[in-house]
Amino acid sequence: MLRKQKLQEADFTRPGTEDVWEDVITDRFLIRMLARFVTPYWKQLLLTFLLLLGVSAMSLSLPYLIKQAIDGPITEAVTSGAENPDLSGLIPYGIAYFLAVATLFGLRFSHTYLLQTVGQNALADLRQTLFQHILRQDMAFFNKTPVGQLVARLSNDIDALTELLSTSIVMVVSNSITLVGIIVVMFAINWRLALIALSVMPFMVSATIYFRRRIRRASNRFHRIVAEYLAYINEQFNGMLVVQLFGRQEASRAEFERINRQYRDVHMKIRDYYTVYASILQILTSVGLGIVLYGGGQGVLAQWATIGTLIAFIDYMRRSFEPILQLSEQVAQIQTALSAGERIARMLRIEPQIVDPPQPKHITDLQRSVTFEHVTFSYEPGHPVLRDINLHIPAGQHVAIVGATGAGKTSLAGLLTRFYDVDEGRVLIDGVDIRELPLAELRQYVSVVPQNPYCFNGTIADNLRLFDPSVTYEQMVEAARVAAADKFIERLPGGYDFMLLPGGANLSQGQRQLLALARALIHSPRSILVLDEATSNIDTETEELIQEGLARVLRGRTSLIIAHRLSTVRDADRILVMQRGQIVEDGTHETLLRANGLYARLYRRQFAQLRLDERYNTSEVSQATEGTAQRREV
Ligand code: UTP
Ligand code: MG
């Protein structure tokens, strides 16, 4: 079931996403897109085309030279009846043949070289554009687009286009030119023999049409299976922990086997079609050759053809077989490439919803007050997760947000950085609607330490500096100290040069959070700080250290701290309690306790739990005052 859904996503048909994805790409749009990346290289392309004409002309001249040699000096020598016939007349033909072959080689080499250069450059441009385009997208895009799909766009699909630009189109053009050239030359040399030679052509064309259809269908299917294959392995590897924990290896293996079998079968089917098709073409060519030999033989006897013509025709027929076979192969490849191009074009058409305003405002004197005015927000239309939020946080206030899982705390914080836009109402910083601020500026004003911070492949220092060399070592160490990350970093082998595994797999969750906190302190030293459960995985002792460090950093700085552990919020200037998308309580620790509402209940429950724990763990429980008990909470 899960996998099915993934698959559909890969085809952009997941329910609820149609509005964004379901976008019919017309051929015109596709061609315009391709043209956009190729036109900068039009001069080189024109040159490759001219070279191509040269290649065709040269290769057509070879059989003709042989014919001339046979019908000229060789026939003369044979018919002269002399004892030692003079064959020196052949020398010019030999030289011409050699020159033609050498020129052909030179032309073909330059043509291929130039074409590869153009193709690779155009595709490098496309790759760059696509990557930059994806970088611009908003969170909604990344939430509904599986990573595997983005990877496929940037790898497989671009590769398919590489084929198209650097081989397929050119092959089609050059093969068509060659084919037409061969037919024209054959008629020019001997129209009767040309007609005989072409008698098998209708059969070849019929076979081509017949197989092309089947091959195209099979390759479309192949493409779907590849998408399924990629989506499946991607999902399984990402979910390896669950697979192994729940012993799902056998199910994984069986499912993989099914997809793998399909993959193999459709591959073999395509191969089969090609083999049969190629054999049929070969048979038809042989039949054609037989007919030409017979008819041409009659012609030689009846004197409407020469031996040289006959030999040249055999050569031309052999040469015509190649382009036909290749043409049909190219058609399938072009088909694949076009659908890849279509997927890329579709992705390039997706415009992020969250963009810089056309006429951005700027905050000149940053105070860092935050206001939510009648804010309603939903991820899925019709299912609001935040409802009519009204909130004013004066500059410098430390606000804590608590509430049950799924209450909307992270969503509320996300709105502040415009990861999403509100459905209704406004979010303001210093009285300016954040939608009127440039995004880059806004994200300088607000920094978020997310619930699941990400670590990049690199050292601890890289991750703290975010690969920004302008961050000094002292700044980095100071931030780590404030975030209480310095202790654990110094214990790691290599300290700040400790190499992280992908995703920071060789750090604990809590260590990753400390790192993220230090990172935020480095990069947005004066921003409004949002900590999303940033200390939920951290032991009480470290947490106390952070609290002390933060107290210093946060002085005068607006902050929103989302927490489950109420011990972390006690000292906040103000505590907001969220429930099902609304702020249901708002006040200080004391006032909320006195109000005896949800917060008081949550607090008493955590406190009771704490006392229970302490009774088991220590003997001093009876003396534990509320305050110290809070600090020891685990
Ligand atoms: P939140 O992620 O805002 O909840 O999701 P929270 O309060 O921070 O919860 P915890 O404490 O971290 O667990 C609020 C609602 O929004 C939905 C969720 O289903 C949840 O009910 N949601 C969240 C989405 O629909 N899409 C998302 O991308 C994220
Ligand atoms: Mg959350």
Side-chain angles (χ1 to χ4, degrees):
M1 184 57 216
L2 207 70
R3 201 185 44 69
K4 277 239 177 64
Q5 198 181 338
K6 266 270 150 70
L7 245 187
Q8 283 174 351
E9 281 171 4
D11 289 331
F12 294 99
T13 52
R14 195 175 70 153
T17 60
E18 290 92 339
D19 45 343
V20 186
W21 303 118
E22 190 102 321
D23 183 7
V24 180
I25 297 295
T26 57
D27 285 347
R28 263 196 26 229
F29 182 79
L30 186 58
I31 289 165
R32 267 219 310 277
M33 178 195 86
L34 290 176
R36 191 176 121 206
F37 289 95
V38 173
T39 33
Y41 304 98
W42 71 270
K43 280 185 202 146
Q44 287 99 314
L45 274 182
L46 188 66
L47 189 56
T48 49
F49 182 71
L50 294 178
L51 287 170
L52 197 59
L53 286 181
V55 169
S56 285
M58 276 300 142
S59 66
L60 287 181
S61 73
L62 296 178
Y64 188 75
L65 279 174
I66 289 180
K67 170 195 149 23
Q68 292 302 80
I70 291 173
D71 289 347
I74 293 180
T75 311
E76 264 168 40
V78 172
T79 50
S80 71
E83 188 88 338
N84 277 319
D86 175 23
L87 281 175
S88 60
L90 271 180
I91 292 173
Y93 288 101
I95 293 173
Y97 197 89
F98 173 78
L99 286 180
V101 170
T103 316
L104 184 59
F105 171 80
L107 288 176
R108 196 168 268 161
F109 176 82
S110 340
H111 166 257
T112 312
Y113 181 82
L114 200 58
L115 191 73
Q116 288 295 335
T117 317
V118 172
Q120 292 304 332
N121 278 327
L123 287 165
D125 296 348
L126 175 60
R127 233 176 282 149
Q128 191 70 34
T129 305
L130 185 57
F131 184 75
Q132 271 162 285
H133 181 74
I134 294 174
L135 274 185
R136 284 199 308 130
Q137 296 302 319
D138 48 45
M139 280 301 134
F141 171 89
F142 290 105
N143 278 355
K144 64 183 148 198
T145 318
V147 174
Q149 200 179 92
L150 299 179
V151 172
R153 290 300 157 276
L154 276 162
S155 52
N156 292 24
D157 287 346
I158 299 243
D159 286 347
L161 279 184
T162 315
E163 266 312 293
L164 179 76
L165 282 190
S166 58
T167 338
S168 304
I169 287 184
V170 179
M171 287 278 238
V172 167
V173 174
S174 86
N175 287 333
S176 309
I177 294 176
T178 311
L179 203 56
V180 170
I182 288 175
I183 293 171
V184 169
V185 171
M186 287 204 296
F187 272 99
I189 296 176
N190 192 318
W191 65 269
R192 276 193 250 201
L193 206 49
L195 280 181
I196 294 176
L198 290 183
S199 61
V200 287
M201 208 47 116
F203 298 101
M204 286 191 174
V205 171
S206 316
T208 305
I209 292 172
Y210 178 87
F211 281 101
R212 205 190 75 181
R213 250 191 233 134
R214 272 152 192 78
I215 289 171
R216 184 201 288 190
R217 227 174 289 146
S219 39
N220 279 345
R221 189 169 143 64
F222 178 67
H223 227 274
R224 277 201 304 279
I225 291 171
V226 170
E228 179 176 357
Y229 178 82
L230 286 180
Y232 185 72
I233 52 178
N234 189 42
E235 191 190 68
Q236 291 298 302
F237 291 160
N238 277 330
M240 193 46 80
L241 187 70
V242 180
V243 171
Q244 298 200 342
L245 265 181
F246 290 86
R248 301 299 297 163
Q249 289 97 329
E250 176 49 32
S252 278
R253 191 201 58 73
E255 181 62 4
F256 185 82
E257 188 177 310
R258 187 186 68 78
I259 300 173
N260 193 14
R261 208 180 310 123
Q262 284 187 339
Y263 195 112
R264 179 201 60 195
D265 289 349
V266 70
H267 222 303
M268 276 166 53
K269 185 152 216 161
I270 296 177
R271 271 297 110 203
D272 286 352
Y273 281 142
Y274 272 124
T275 315
V276 176
Y277 174 60
S279 314
I280 289 179
L281 279 196
Q282 224 134 20
I283 292 170
L284 284 175
T285 318
S286 308
V287 171
L289 274 180
I291 296 174
V292 165
L293 272 177
Y294 179 77
Q298 297 291 330
V300 172
L301 290 180
Q303 300 221 324
W304 53 261
T306 62
I307 302 265
T309 308
L310 196 51
I311 291 174
F313 263 65
I314 291 168
D315 203 344
Y316 281 129
M317 288 207 57
R318 193 176 51 74
R319 279 170 202 268
S320 72
F321 160 76
E322 269 293 295
I324 296 178
L325 187 63
Q326 278 181 355
L327 269 179
S328 60
E329 248 178 79
Q330 294 317 317
V331 168
Q333 258 176 23
I334 288 177
Q335 203 65 38
T336 314
L338 286 183
S339 39
E342 215 170 285
R343 284 188 294 273
I344 292 174
R346 212 180 279 143
M347 186 154 280
L348 282 177
R349 274 248 279 238
I350 301 168
E351 279 304 317
Q353 301 300 305
I354 293 174
V355 288
D356 280 334
Q359 266 122 26
K361 284 191 182 168
H362 301 276
I363 299 177
T364 39
D365 178 25
L366 185 64
Q367 299 296 318
R368 305 181 205 93
S369 74
V370 173
T371 310
F372 283 72
E373 267 180 21
H374 298 288
V375 168
T376 296
F377 168 69
S378 58
Y379 294 99
E380 298 286 340
H383 300 281
V385 297
L386 293 176
R387 285 174 294 158
D388 197 31
I389 301 274
N390 284 296
L391 173 67
H392 177 72
I393 304 175
Q397 196 171 54
H398 303 319
V399 178
I401 306 180
V402 299
T405 281
K409 305 181 293 295
T410 303
S411 308
L412 186 77
L415 290 186
L416 206 50
T417 48
R418 280 192 85 197
F419 279 150
Y420 296 90
D421 268 344
V422 297
D423 297 343
E424 286 165 39
R426 309 194 288 165
V427 179
L428 310 133
I429 290 181
D430 291 351
V432 180
D433 189 326
I434 56 172
R435 284 170 295 194
E436 292 178 320
L437 295 170
L439 274 180
E441 216 164 284
L442 171 66
R443 285 170 190 171
Q444 288 233 308
Y445 298 155
V446 184
S447 62
V448 177
V449 179
Q451 234 168 336
N452 295 308
Y454 189 82
C455 292
F456 293 94
N457 214 353
T459 62
I460 294 264
D462 292 337
N463 270 281
L464 287 173
R465 291 179 162 136
L466 285 179
F467 303 91
D468 176 358
S470 70
V471 176
T472 65
Y473 183 81
E474 285 69 33
Q475 277 174 308
M476 178 175 81
V477 174
E478 171 60 16
R481 201 178 54 73
V482 172
D486 54 341
K487 295 263 159 41
F488 95 82
I489 293 174
E490 277 152 21
R491 275 199 304 274
L492 291 171
Y496 287 86
D497 293 326
F498 179 71
M499 198 68 189
L500 297 187
L501 293 178
N506 49 351
L507 289 186
S508 77
Q509 181 100 18
Q511 290 169 333
R512 281 204 286 274
Q513 285 186 324
L514 294 181
L515 214 56
L517 181 55
R519 182 194 281 169
L521 295 177
I522 293 174
H523 290 274
S524 318
R526 293 173 54 246
S527 61
I528 298 164
L529 192 64
V530 180
L531 306 184
D532 192 351
E533 309 260 3
T535 54
S536 60
N537 291 298
I538 289 161
D539 65 85
T540 319
E541 199 180 326
T542 315
E543 190 183 310
E544 271 172 36
L545 287 174
I546 300 179
Q547 298 263 315
E548 284 163 24
L550 276 181
R552 251 179 300 137
V553 177
L554 292 182
R555 200 161 297 139
R557 192 160 151 172
T558 317
S559 64
L560 261 98
I561 297 178
I562 300 174
H564 273 305
R565 238 189 289 177
L566 300 187
S567 59
T568 39
V569 308
R570 236 184 88 100
D571 301 329
D573 297 334
R574 182 174 171 194
I575 298 167
L576 304 173
V577 185
M578 288 195 69
Q579 193 180 27
R580 281 184 235 114
Q582 284 178 311
I583 296 175
V584 290
E585 286 174 30
D586 181 350
T588 61
H589 177 72
E590 277 73 28
T591 55
L592 290 183
L593 274 189
R594 239 175 287 129
N596 206 13
L598 186 60
Y599 179 79
R601 273 210 306 285
L602 286 173
Y603 184 79
R604 278 198 296 270
R605 202 176 307 149
Q606 283 198 6
F607 188 59
Q609 182 62 41
L610 170 75
R611 278 223 285 233
L612 211 64
D613 290 347
E614 294 234 336
R615 191 165 300 151
Y616 282 112
N617 295 336
T618 72
S619 55
E620 306 155 0
V621 75
S622 51
Q623 282 109 41
T625 64
E626 195 178 277
T628 55
Q630 274 302 314
R631 294 212 172 276
R632 283 207 204 115
E633 184 186 330
V634 178

